Amino acid sequence: FAGWLADRAAHGISGRHTLASPGTGTGAGSVEITYPHPGDRFVVSRSGRSVAVTVTAVPARSVPYLRWFLDGDEQEPTPPPYRWSWGLTRGHHRLMAASPDLSSTASIDVQVE
């Protein structure tokens, strides 16, 4: 739902529902990676074409952006709706999403073959 609201807002469409302002949400401040799921396996074609998946996360409270890490290397931070496009590479990978101050994090392991 947050993605739909963010897309509407980006196109200047307003309505009854809006995204919360940063820091106004509720909850313990945890982060959940909603896609991919822990232990997911991806198979890429041997043709050499690059394949990307959209990684998504949801923080318990609204934050201005989430920080993404792939195998310990920081990637581009993303604002709501907290989506990051990851170009798959073969191997075992650890994905982590974190709040801006790193106080809340979530990580998962996935395999790309």
Side-chain angles (χ1 to χ4, degrees):
F1 190 64
W4 177 76
L5 285 174
D7 289 342
R8 288 175 52 91
H11 290 94
I13 302 168
S14 62
R16 189 171 103 189
H17 302 284
T18 60
L19 290 171
S21 298
T24 62
T26 61
S30 63
V31 175
E32 177 186 1
I33 296 174
T34 55
Y35 186 80
H37 303 119
D40 274 359
R41 297 174 76 102
F42 297 93
V43 178
V44 294
S45 169
R46 295 188 191 273
S47 70
R49 285 190 336 203
S50 64
V51 177
V53 296
T54 301
V55 179
T56 59
V58 177
R61 62 180 173 78
S62 180
V63 293
Y65 60 90
L66 284 181
R67 296 170 69 177
W68 293 98
F69 296 84
L70 174 63
D71 300 327
D73 295 326
E74 189 162 9
Q75 308 298 308
E76 189 72 26
T78 59
Y82 313 113
R83 295 178 186 156
W84 170 58
S85 182
W86 171 36
L88 296 178
T89 58
R90 286 186 172 84
H92 177 85
H93 300 285
R94 173 159 288 191
L95 296 169
M96 185 174 88
S99 61
D101 63 0
L102 299 175
S103 64
S104 301
T105 64
S107 63
I108 61 165
D109 293 315
V110 297
Q111 182 73 28
V112 180
E113 300 173 353

